[in-house]
Amino acid sequence: MSEASADIRAQVERLHQRINRHNYLYYVLDAPEITDAEYDQLMRRLEALEREHPEFVTADSPTQRVGAAPSEKFAAVRHRRAMLSLSNAMSADEMREFDQRVRRMLKLSGDVEYVTEVKFDGLAVELVYEDGALAVGSTRGDGINGEDVTANIRTIKSVPLRLMASSHGHLPSLLEVRGEVILPRKAFARLNEERTERGDPPFANPRNAAAGSLRQLDSRVTSRRPLDIFCHSPGVIEGADFATQWDFLQGIKALGLKVNPLSRLCRSVEMVFDYWRELSELRHELDYEADGIVAKVNSFALQERLGEVSRSPRWAVAYKFKAQQAHTRVKDISVSVGRTGSLTPVAELEPVHLAGVTISSASLHNLDETRRKDIRARDTVLLERAGDVIPYVVRVTQKAEPRGKQFKMPPRCPECGGAIAHEEGEVAYFCVNVNCPARVRESIRHLASKSCFDIEGLGDKLVAQLVEKGLVQELGDLYALKLEQLVELERMGELSAHNLLSNIERSRAVTLDRLINALGIRHVGEHTARQLALEFGGLDELRSADEARLRQVRDIGPEIARSIVAYFNEPRNRAALDRLLKYAVVKPLEAPAKTPAALRDKTFVLTGTLEGMTRAEAERRILDAGGKVTSSVSGKTDYVVAGSEPGSKLDRARNLGVAVLSESEFLRMIEGQSR
Ligand code: IVH
């Protein structure tokens, strides 16, 4: 190889390493050190180099996550070690019985040590790493044979294509890990929103969505679904030795695999109960679905002694949470009109309490879903809370007697009485009137929401009144509202009218991503709006982009590109936008705060006099960067910053082996250059 090409190869490899590290920080540790824009720049540099020098493109390059050609069908993969399933404990008694059985079989009189983990409601997969490289990714299948979904697994950003070597460079020659592929709730909600708008049947829950995404024959489709993974158990391992489940989890974490931070080592079954209680509460706040906890005997030697029975290990159990389901009666089925004009059937329910909230309606998504589940007025249905807090109707549990009529879409828009469009073979129904009050109302609500213009005090009822009274017919009208008009509204005093006007006024300064999100372009939500803002930097640049240009943007496929172009081609949209721009002041997008991970949650002690800054300033900069400052040195201190004439704290730091930084080292660290 010539010197020049050796140099290119070295450049490519350096980029691999940098990008892999930032992928790991972002997707596995959730602790990015650089902005999205900086990351994109690295990727583009690599892409450019690879375009010019295709001979240096390797299978584990970060650019090679998405394969090109869709496959015909999945090949079968035989698991070297069977993928078992878990037996369930449905109550505290059953959990206690499990623990007693374990101790009886092991002839132990004392406590057994367990590892407790979240039971993820996702899709079981196996990852096979050979000499550190991801060789195969497969589904569980029947536990013996699964499907080869390697191309799809590679698109999951938290799955390393190559393991990180430990400090002494060691990698196991064979490492099989099992884990759960999940679709985070937010992504699930977004995906279903897009699907219903497009007229595709929505997924019933995040688990089905994850399964559907992973079993796509075209990995380009999978790559657009932000799947994630939690690795939780071993298959066959060669060239590494783990004695316990806890060791295993720490070990694979060190190799760069994503493990769940909530796992815990429990010294007795009592601690398992504590964990279950804590998780039962916490589950609602998690960004993924969990249907219980898993308790596993920690020691692998003891696991082996316990063995398995009917395809379930005797050393582990799934201790389920109490179900989040309730039964209620459908009073009626109404039809709501969304901001794009789409009609959605909604079940009006007898109010029922479900997992901490009262639910009185649930979207039925579309006509096909409603018919498929055959939901009719006065039926009793089973409700479940899936993804986030959105309740959905699982099925009819008792048909009304006599039975109501089968649901039909209304012949005209229930809000404006206008015509409805429906294409043969499509599921979606639309009100075609762009001035339909329901569409206007929903667009204004959207514009006022937290992720757009964030107008405090402009609630749903008020928006409905403004539209009904004809005061607001398009987005820009909001900014032309007068005090005299507002005080005329119901329950609106002069003071609240004043406040509302000043909130509206304040909302005019908005970042580009929020403005784009506020336009309510089909398929463009918060995330895509952000990507577009980062890419184009200004509205004019976005407006003049054609489909080909748009498709160069990360995460933007043909459908989104088409929708954006169609939006800006519509003269009425252009006019409404121009009017809005008379008022809106578009600010450049703020890059996310760049917190050097070196400082996050680190504890500092300052001693002596600093030259370049005051003590207070140093403290503030540490706090701003996510660190903490304490006054005395202990084993928990991460760094002591020593200025001139340091006191006894420096001696104490040395005795305890705490890292000591000079002022210039500290400065470099704070400015993020020591990474
Ligand atoms: S351990 C034999 N740990 O639950 C050990 N499984 O019915 C089985 N699951 O197929 C795997 N969270 O896909 C384990 N923390 C966890 C899990 C978990 C979810 C799934 C797994 C398995 C199913 C068992």
Side-chain angles (χ1 to χ4, degrees), residues 82-88 116-125 140 178-180 207 230-233 245 263 291-294 296 311-313 315-316 318:
M83 287 179 78
L84 304 179
S85 52
L86 291 165
S87 55
N88 290 327
T116 46
E117 300 170 9
V118 175
K119 178 153 193 311
F120 313 101
D121 199 6
L123 195 77
V125 296
R140 174 174 182 273
R178 279 86 190 263
E180 214 70 12
R207 198 199 111 80
F230 285 116
C231 299
H232 56 55
S233 40
Q245 170 70 7
S263 302
D291 55 353
I293 65 162
V294 183
K296 303 174 180 175
R311 309 240 61 90
S312 299
W315 44 263

Side-chain angles (χ1 to χ4, degrees), residues 367-415:
L367 181 66
D368 278 18
E369 278 283 295
T370 315
R371 292 250 172 106
R372 193 174 58 74
K373 292 180 180 163
D374 196 18
I375 300 163
R376 306 187 188 191
R378 293 183 294 104
D379 285 352
T380 302
V381 290
L382 177 65
L383 270 189
E384 197 170 276
R385 262 180 72 179
D388 223 7
V389 287
I390 309 158
Y392 86 102
V393 177
V394 184
R395 60 173 182 274
V396 172
T397 53
Q398 202 185 345
K399 293 177 181 164
E401 239 345 300
R403 200 85 206 279
K405 286 207 187 75
Q406 190 188 42
F407 173 75
K408 278 208 300 250
M409 276 295 182
R412 308 199 71 84
C413 171
E415 294 267 355

